[in-house]
Every structure is written in C-alpha cells, then in structure tokens.
Amino acid sequence: MSVFNAYMTLSGAVDATLTRDEPLSRRTSYRIGGPAALLARVRDYAALVRTIEVLTREGVRWVILGKGTNVLADDAGYDGCVIVLEGEFSRINVSEEDRSITAGAGAVLARVVNEALRARLSGLEPCVGIPGTLGGALSMNAGTRREWIGRRVRDLVVYRPGEGMHRYAADEIEWGYRQTTLPTSEIILEATLSLMPAEKDAIAADMDARLRRRRQSQPLSLPSCGSVFRNPPERSVGQLIESCGLAGTSEGGAQISDVHANFIVNRGGATSADVLALITRAHDAVMDRYGIDLSPEVKFLGFGG
C-alpha cells in the first residue's frame, strides 16, 4: 500500500483538494479521532472516479465521509483515504412544477429541507434538525421510527466502482427503519425526492414543533453522534439504558447523557476508547437485563477495520 504514491499521482491531476494526516476530530461531530492518512475533497464525478482508480491500484483503502455526524473515529486514526464529496455533489435543484428536489449527496441536509420549505413542498419535515449530508441521510434512511427519507426517493444515482454510474428507480430499493437495500459498495451521488405542495406556514409550524421536541429531549449542546443504538421494535433504547441505571454514567470525558440515555456525549477530552467503553457497558447491561441485543446505529471509522 502506498498512500504517498496515491497522493503524488492525484495532486494537481484531479479537481480535488488532497491533505495528508487530516485529524478526524475536525471531521466528526464527536470531535474525536486521529489522523486520516489521506483526505480527498473531490469536486466532480471525474475526480471521484480517478481518485478511486488510483487508490485501488495503490492498494489504499478508502471510505466516503459526509459531515461525520453518526461516526466514531478511532483515536489511532485511519490508515486509508477519506473521501468527501463537494462541488457539483453539493448542488440542489428545486422543481416546483414537478414537485421535486434533486440534490447531490454532498448537499447539507438542512439546506435541502430549507429549500423544500421555501418552495412550499412538504415531505421532508421528519428530517428537520437532523445534521449531516443528503448522502449520509439516505445511506442510513434518516428520519423518525415511522417516517423516513427513503419514502420520498423517486430515483437515485450511484457510482459502482469499476463499473460506472447506475440509476435506481424508487421501486428497486427497499427502505426500512435505519436500513436500505442499497449495496454498501456503491457510492450515492444524487437523489430526486418527490414532495407534495402545502401551505408554507403549515410546513414551518410542523418543522418548528419537531425542532422543539428535539431540543427538549436530546442533549444538543454537547458533541455526540446522535443516537448510538437503533430502537428495537416497540421499545425505546433510551428508556432501556436508563432503566439499567446508566444515565449520567461517565468514562473519561464521555458520558451517557442524562437527558437522553441513547446519546453518549463528549463533555471535553473524550477519546474513542471512552465512548466505546460506554457503548459496551450499555449494550451488555440491556442484554443482561432484557435479553435484547442492541444494534449500533453509530458507524465506526478505523479500529483496524
């Protein structure tokens, strides 16, 4: 594996900004993580394709990263290349006549939601207040337990490394709570979302109500990755963890929030080891008491994998 060769080959040859040893603490909402051997901020499709071709040839592993809002990065860093989609991947086009929004995977989800509101288009209210990019939201099917963004997808464009672009129609993808049948080997590039016309005041009122509930029930003032575990059917992970007496439990600079026990927050100086210790403690406590094997919602970057 030669990160150096990949860096030298790509530097100045593609529409991308390349950085060596970029701290992942700058790229994740947890504010945790050591350096990525290489960071590539690609701005167009040709740059993305060429970057992956070179990385593959040089034997350098790679991962796509949005805003890092549901990611725990290893303190030891990541020995591959982190690819961030920018430029043309951040475009947002609204069609009021067609009642749709087409946006790139790198577009900030909050901007997409706001554009829908501005155009008096309803359907993205469940995504209000959710941080990150559209690509990240689609890959994890963001939303609530019963309302999610996948239901709004009309079609989706992905890149299949080594093959090229592919367009999925809505009926070719299955969506569920925090899951989708999209192969993890494919890179989401763009999506068209079908929305519905509605009164702007009604959309805004719904969004405001949802934001108030989030602020009241989630510890938004401290760095976190959002929900750590997926909710089991008809159960609340936060309530399960709290009933095990773990709300407020600390490990180093990390703490299981006493506002919502399915959030582990960085109170200052937390390490990935601190967070992992609390994840393990919460998982094992719920397993011992209820026999429920909690599934992580947080994604892990590094950790030898």
Side-chain angles (χ1 to χ4, degrees):
M1 180 181 77
S2 178
V3 172
F4 177 77
N5 285 349
Y7 174 75
M8 293 302 293
T9 300
L10 293 169
S11 293
V14 294
D15 191 7
T17 299
L18 298 159
T19 309
R20 297 288 306 275
D21 299 321
E22 172 80 2
L24 290 170
S25 57
R26 298 177 184 171
R27 296 280 167 179
T28 63
S29 60
Y30 251 135
R31 302 294 180 259
I32 292 173
L38 185 62
L39 178 81
R41 295 160 52 197
V42 301
R43 288 182 284 273
D44 61 29
Y45 177 71
L48 172 65
V49 172
R50 180 59 177 155
T51 296
I52 291 177
E53 285 176 349
V54 171
L55 293 172
T56 301
R57 186 188 70 206
E58 294 296 333
V60 179
R61 59 181 181 157
W62 54 269
V63 66
I64 302 293
L65 184 69
K67 294 295 184 182
T69 54
N70 68 327
V71 173
L72 176 64
D74 192 348
D75 293 312
Y78 179 67
D79 64 3
C81 179
V82 171
I83 301 174
V84 178
L85 304 180
E86 299 183 348
E88 71 175 28
F89 300 110
S90 300
R91 293 176 181 168
I92 302 173
N93 295 307
V94 180
S95 174
E96 294 185 42
E97 181 179 352
D98 192 40
R99 301 172 182 176
S100 68
I101 290 180
T102 299
V108 175
L109 183 60
R111 284 190 57 220
V112 179
V113 172
N114 287 336
E115 288 297 330
L117 171 63
R118 186 174 292 111
R120 298 176 175 83
L121 294 174
S122 175
L124 294 182
E125 292 88 335
C127 294
V128 69
I130 297 177
T133 61
L134 176 63
L138 291 166
S139 67
M140 67 177 293
N141 197 16
T144 68
R145 191 194 292 246
R146 295 178 179 83
E147 303 172 287
W148 46 70
I149 194 169
R151 289 178 172 164
R152 304 267 65 91
V153 173
R154 177 185 299 177
D155 59 65
L156 195 69
V157 179
V158 301
Y159 171 57
R160 294 173 171 173
E163 297 182 30
M165 283 193 286
H166 176 77
R167 183 181 298 274
Y168 285 100
D171 60 4
E172 296 180 277
I173 308 169
E174 294 180 15
W175 305 88
Y177 170 60
R178 296 295 184 269
Q179 62 182 358
T180 171
T181 55
L182 284 170
T184 56
S185 60
E186 299 179 353
I187 301 170
I188 298 172
L189 301 179
E190 179 184 278
T192 297
L193 309 174
S194 292
L195 304 173
M196 301 157 289
E199 292 295 326
K200 187 174 183 179
D201 289 346
I203 299 172
D206 188 358
M207 289 183 177
D208 287 344
R210 291 172 187 269
L211 283 172
R212 283 196 300 271
R213 288 195 294 271
R214 287 186 186 278
R215 295 188 186 109
Q216 292 167 359
S217 63
Q218 298 176 2
L220 302 181
S221 62
L222 292 170
S224 79
C225 71
S227 297
V228 173
F229 299 101
R230 298 176 188 171
N231 285 309
E234 306 307 320
R235 302 298 294 267
S236 163
V237 172
Q239 292 175 2
L240 291 172
I241 296 173
E242 188 172 348
S243 71
C244 294
L246 293 178
T249 299
S250 295
E251 181 75 32
Q255 182 185 53
I256 296 176
S257 172
D258 52 11
V259 176
H260 192 312
N262 196 21
F263 282 62
I264 296 175
V265 297
N266 181 354
R267 296 191 60 85
T271 66
S272 62
D274 294 338
V275 176
L276 275 177
L278 291 179
I279 290 174
T280 301
R281 193 179 307 180
H283 173 275
D284 292 351
V286 171
M287 186 67 178
D288 290 344
R289 181 163 183 174
Y290 297 101
I292 297 175
D293 185 9
L294 295 178
S295 178
E297 188 171 312
V298 59
K299 305 297 182 184
F300 299 97
L301 179 54
F303 301 98

